[in-house]
Amino acid sequence: MLSIGEFSRATGITVKTLRFYHEKGLLVPDHIDADSSYRYYRKEKIDTAKVITTLRKLELPLREIESILLSYQADLDILSFLETHQKNLHQRLSDLQTASNSLEALIRIEKEQRNPMPTTDFTIQEKELPTQLIASITMRGKYSDCSKGFAKLGKYFWSQANGKPFMLYYDKEYKEDDAHFATCFPIKKGTSKDDIEVWELPAGKCLSLMHKGCYDTLRNSYEKIIPAVKERGNLVCPSREIYHKGPGMLFKGNPKNYLTEIQILFTETC
Amino acid sequence: MLSIGEFSRATGITVKTLRFYHEKGLLVPDHIDADSSYRYYRKEKIDTAKVITTLRKLELPLREIESILLSYQADLDILSFLETHQKNLHQRLSDLQTASNSLEALIRIEKEQRNPMPTTDFTIQEKELPTQLIASITMRGKYSDCSKGFAKLGKYFWSQANGKPFMLYYDKEYKEDDAHFATCFPIKKGTSKDDIEVWELPAGKCLSLMHKGCYDTLRNSYEKIIPAVKERGNLVCPSREIYHKGPGMLFKGNPKNYLTEIQILFTETC
DNA sequence: CTTGACCCTCCACTAACTGGAGACCGTACG
DNA sequence: CGTACGGTCTCCAGTTAGTGGAGGGTCAAG
């Protein structure tokens, strides 16, 4: 018979924990001195204790371990317990994986928010846009609904991200309530799914203007760029708005620092 | 200003939890009625609340979230918190993965223990053994140390298992204390590591005898098979002992049900 | 004024321990 | 035989992130 300290050394389980297991009925001492209430364990109990530590390492809850121990004594099936627990572990594992992935995306995005464009020119510039593969959700209604679209795109395609999110505006003029637009995300690869379309945005020549500040003042920038485009040729729908720096995933940030690029494609009138 | 119930509906956080967050200083109401001690929240607090739920979904502890909220207000760096947490998540993830893998191995082994050989013949039989790739640990000393060897092999190669564990006996006669033997595990593939050697066990012709019961009585079976081998030719070292059914990973099981196959290779004397 | 919905505080409970206080027990040494 | 020291006892509190409930006060409508 071993005292609790000796048993602790033999099993690697702390004295505190042994007392706790006793209280829970999981590992009961074989004898308790009536006078001193000292706990004494038989050597054979070491095997039971080792089984408990083995199962605890597998993250089985104590209740399950108790059931397994009892079932084993009754020569019953212990596999079902293990398999149930395996399912739980898998569930927990995939939950954690999801959390970890989301966190990674969050870190990436917040990092990008922090480093603004190195040198930004707030003048109208001509640009050749290459084709790019994008995932998009086409929407009709209020512009403010776009956040839902970006949230959904981000959920499925953050890992394939290939640039900043942007919007396509199909209306030739400004519409408040019945706008026709698409939330877009440049991606490396992917396939259409539900209302998300994956397609290739055509190349073209455009004028570009970087806008700094809150979205309410975007109209001012449009009023600058549209006449400039008309001078060069015919406006091509849809126009694009690239969100270089906007509200972060977590915090809104300061709207004064938002950076939005307006791109309007055109065909030259020869 | 919203009452706690309205705020709860707006944020999806239960009333109970909101009170809890208040108590923790994480999300403090903007006003508390002096008479009724009703809590009232400004609408802007909804954003803060959403940040909290977002971060909770990423399994950040409340303390971390509080730090992030405070740091953000002070316009400090929040990335370091996120990155620290990401490390923790990865750690937890790999712990869980390990547990899940071990559990899977445990389930597989216990399952095999349960289904004994379908038809077992307890007579001496001649067999052609094919070559097989094995991982082995060579040991000198007491036979009883073999359990350590099997534990180590299992740890590294359970996922590549390709059959039952077995032992190679290099001694021509029985030695108690200075035996020369190897614990072995048939595997699909792998490389040598530390004291684990991966190599190909050569093919050969052997006599085989299945032994049922506790290991103490194995000698009886050896006394049956050795003369039979000698009749056919010369004994080839090492002999093999295959543990079809032995003590499980968790429980010792009943030694009466242990099944061990003795294989002794020989070269025919023409 | 009553009813029903809403809100309050305080307490207990979860899992698996850990830490500490204060008291008792056992053995060896002087 | 007294005492010093280590081992052991019980009991209580605290950890996380809430949940559940009891008992009682508050608000707005009818």
Side-chain angles (χ1 to χ4, degrees):
Chain A
M1 296 285 255
L2 307 169
S3 73
I4 196 168
E6 291 162 336
F7 194 74
S8 164
R9 260 162 269 141
T11 57
I13 304 175
T14 66
V15 172
K16 279 271 184 193
T17 305
L18 284 173
R19 286 200 270 258
F20 176 70
Y21 286 169
H22 176 196
E23 191 190 345
K24 289 271 151 180
L26 198 62
L27 190 60
V28 182
D30 297 286
H31 170 71
I32 295 172
D33 189 284
D35 291 341
S36 66
S37 50
Y38 274 30
R39 293 167 178 85
Y40 293 98
Y41 297 83
R42 287 219 190 90
K43 284 190 180 176
E44 300 88 71
K45 273 266 158 55
I46 294 176
D47 285 336
T48 314
K50 292 242 164 117
V51 169
I52 293 175
T53 38
T54 306
L55 293 176
R56 277 302 300 148
K57 274 187 203 142
L58 303 180
E59 316 229 0
L60 268 101
L62 293 187
R63 282 168 190 273
E64 296 282 306
I65 296 178
E66 196 177 0
S67 305
I68 287 176
L69 256 31
L70 289 174
S71 298
Y72 179 72
Q73 261 154 29
D75 211 16
L76 294 175
D77 183 25
I78 64 162
L79 272 173
S80 59
F81 292 100
L82 298 181
E83 280 168 348
T84 307
H85 181 60
Q86 177 75 332
K87 270 183 210 144
N88 294 344
L89 273 190
H90 275 147
Q91 181 59 47
R92 180 89 188 103
L93 209 48
S94 79
D95 287 353
L96 263 192
Q97 190 65 61
T98 308
S100 175
N101 287 347
S102 307
L103 183 56
E104 201 164 316
L106 183 59
I107 289 174
R108 208 168 39 78
I109 288 172
E110 293 292 324
K111 245 180 193 159
E112 281 176 12
Q113 292 296 333
R114 213 158 36 136
N115 310 335
M117 313 242 73
T119 57
T120 312
D121 196 339
F122 294 97
T123 61
I124 294 172
Q125 297 188 318
E126 196 171 318
K127 278 191 182 175
E128 287 287 347
L129 298 178
T131 60
Q132 60 183 341
L133 186 68
I134 61 166
S136 73
I137 299 177
T138 305
M139 307 176 92
R140 278 169 195 277
K142 287 182 192 165
Y143 288 131
S144 53
D145 289 342
C146 70
S147 57
K148 291 174 200 161
F150 283 121
K152 190 164 182 185
L153 284 176
K155 195 172 155 194
Y156 291 107
F157 289 102
W158 68 265
S159 60
Q160 290 300 323
N162 197 23
K164 301 285 177 177
F166 63 96
M167 286 249 274
L168 293 177
Y169 288 98
Y170 290 97
D171 298 316
K172 291 233 169 178
E173 63 237 52
Y174 180 72
K175 286 190 183 174
E176 184 63 46
D177 287 332
D178 186 34
H180 180 195
F181 59 96
T183 55
C184 308
F185 212 59
I187 57 170
K188 288 175 197 143
K189 59 179 181 178
T191 50
S192 300
K193 179 178 178 175
D194 301 343
D195 54 349
I196 303 176
E197 291 168 84
V198 172
W199 53 293
E200 191 153 85
L201 199 59
K205 188 174 274 188
C206 77
L207 286 193
S208 148
L209 176 59
M210 196 64 83
H211 172 89
K212 181 164 187 167
C214 158
Y215 299 135
D216 298 340
T217 59
L218 263 175
R219 308 220 66 201
N220 303 337
S221 292
Y222 273 102
E223 279 163 18
K224 276 187 210 158
I225 193 174
I226 288 178
V229 178
K230 280 185 177 164
E231 265 177 33
R232 316 238 175 170
N234 296 317
L235 278 70
V236 174
C237 246
S239 64
R240 311 180 187 179
E241 238 172 51
I242 291 111
Y243 304 107
H244 288 280
K245 193 171 174 187
M249 225 162 128
L250 258 191
F251 297 109
K252 286 191 174 168
N254 187 347
K256 283 183 187 167
N257 297 325
Y258 291 178
L259 276 180
T260 312
E261 185 185 352
I262 301 169
Q263 291 178 343
I264 302 184
L265 280 79
F266 62 90
T267 51
E268 279 161 303
T269 48
C270 316
Chain B
M1 298 283 257
L2 306 170
S3 73
I4 197 169
E6 290 162 336
F7 194 76
S8 163
R9 261 163 270 141
T11 57
I13 304 174
T14 66
V15 171
K16 279 273 184 191
T17 305
L18 284 173
R19 286 201 270 257
F20 177 69
Y21 286 170
H22 176 195
E23 192 191 345
K24 289 270 151 179
L26 197 62
L27 190 60
V28 182
D30 297 287
H31 171 71
I32 296 170
D33 189 282
D35 292 341
S36 65
S37 50
Y38 274 28
R39 293 167 177 87
Y40 293 98
Y41 298 82
R42 288 220 188 89
K43 284 190 180 177
E44 300 88 72
K45 274 267 158 56
I46 293 178
D47 286 335
T48 314
K50 291 241 165 115
V51 169
I52 295 174
T53 38
T54 305
L55 293 176
R56 277 302 301 147
K57 273 186 205 142
L58 302 180
E59 316 226 1
L60 268 103
L62 292 188
R63 284 168 187 274
E64 297 281 307
I65 295 179
E66 197 177 0
S67 306
I68 287 176
L69 255 32
L70 290 173
S71 298
Y72 180 72
Q73 261 154 29
D75 210 17
L76 295 174
D77 184 25
I78 62 161
L79 272 174
S80 59
F81 292 101
L82 298 181
E83 280 168 347
T84 307
H85 181 61
Q86 177 74 330
K87 268 182 213 146
N88 294 345
L89 271 191
H90 275 146
Q91 182 57 49
R92 181 84 188 105
L93 209 49
S94 81
D95 287 353
L96 263 192
Q97 190 65 63
T98 309
S100 175
N101 286 348
S102 307
L103 183 54
E104 199 165 317
L106 183 58
I107 289 174
R108 207 168 40 77
I109 289 171
E110 292 293 324
K111 243 180 195 160
E112 280 176 14
Q113 293 297 333
R114 211 155 42 132
N115 310 336
M117 313 243 72
T119 56
T120 311
D121 195 339
F122 295 96
T123 61
I124 295 173
Q125 296 189 318
E126 197 170 318
K127 278 190 184 178
E128 286 289 346
L129 297 179
T131 62
Q132 59 183 339
L133 186 68
I134 62 166
S136 73
I137 299 177
T138 304
M139 307 176 91
R140 277 168 197 278
K142 286 182 192 165
Y143 288 131
S144 53
D145 288 341
C146 71
S147 58
K148 290 174 200 162
F150 283 121
K152 189 164 182 182
L153 285 176
K155 195 173 156 195
Y156 292 105
F157 290 102
W158 69 266
S159 60
Q160 290 300 323
N162 196 25
K164 302 285 178 178
F166 63 96
M167 288 250 274
L168 293 176
Y169 288 97
Y170 291 97
D171 299 316
K172 293 233 171 181
E173 63 238 51
Y174 180 74
K175 287 190 182 175
E176 184 62 48
D177 286 332
D178 186 35
H180 180 196
F181 59 96
T183 55
C184 308
F185 212 59
I187 56 171
K188 288 174 199 147
K189 58 177 181 177
T191 50
S192 299
K193 179 178 179 174
D194 300 345
D195 54 348
I196 303 176
E197 291 167 86
V198 172
W199 53 293
E200 191 153 83
L201 198 60
K205 187 174 274 189
C206 77
L207 285 193
S208 150
L209 176 59
M210 195 64 81
H211 173 87
K212 181 163 186 168
C214 160
Y215 299 134
D216 299 341
T217 58
L218 263 174
R219 310 220 65 199
N220 303 338
S221 292
Y222 273 102
E223 279 162 18
K224 274 186 212 159
I225 192 173
I226 287 178
V229 179
K230 281 185 175 159
E231 264 177 33
R232 315 241 174 167
N234 296 320
L235 276 70
V236 174
C237 247
S239 63
R240 310 180 188 181
E241 240 172 49
I242 291 110
Y243 305 106
H244 289 279
K245 193 169 174 185
M249 224 161 129
L250 257 190
F251 298 108
K252 286 191 174 167
N254 187 346
K256 282 183 186 166
N257 296 324
Y258 291 177
L259 275 180
T260 312
E261 184 184 352
I262 302 169
Q263 292 178 342
I264 301 183
L265 280 79
F266 61 90
T267 50
E268 279 161 305
T269 46
C270 314

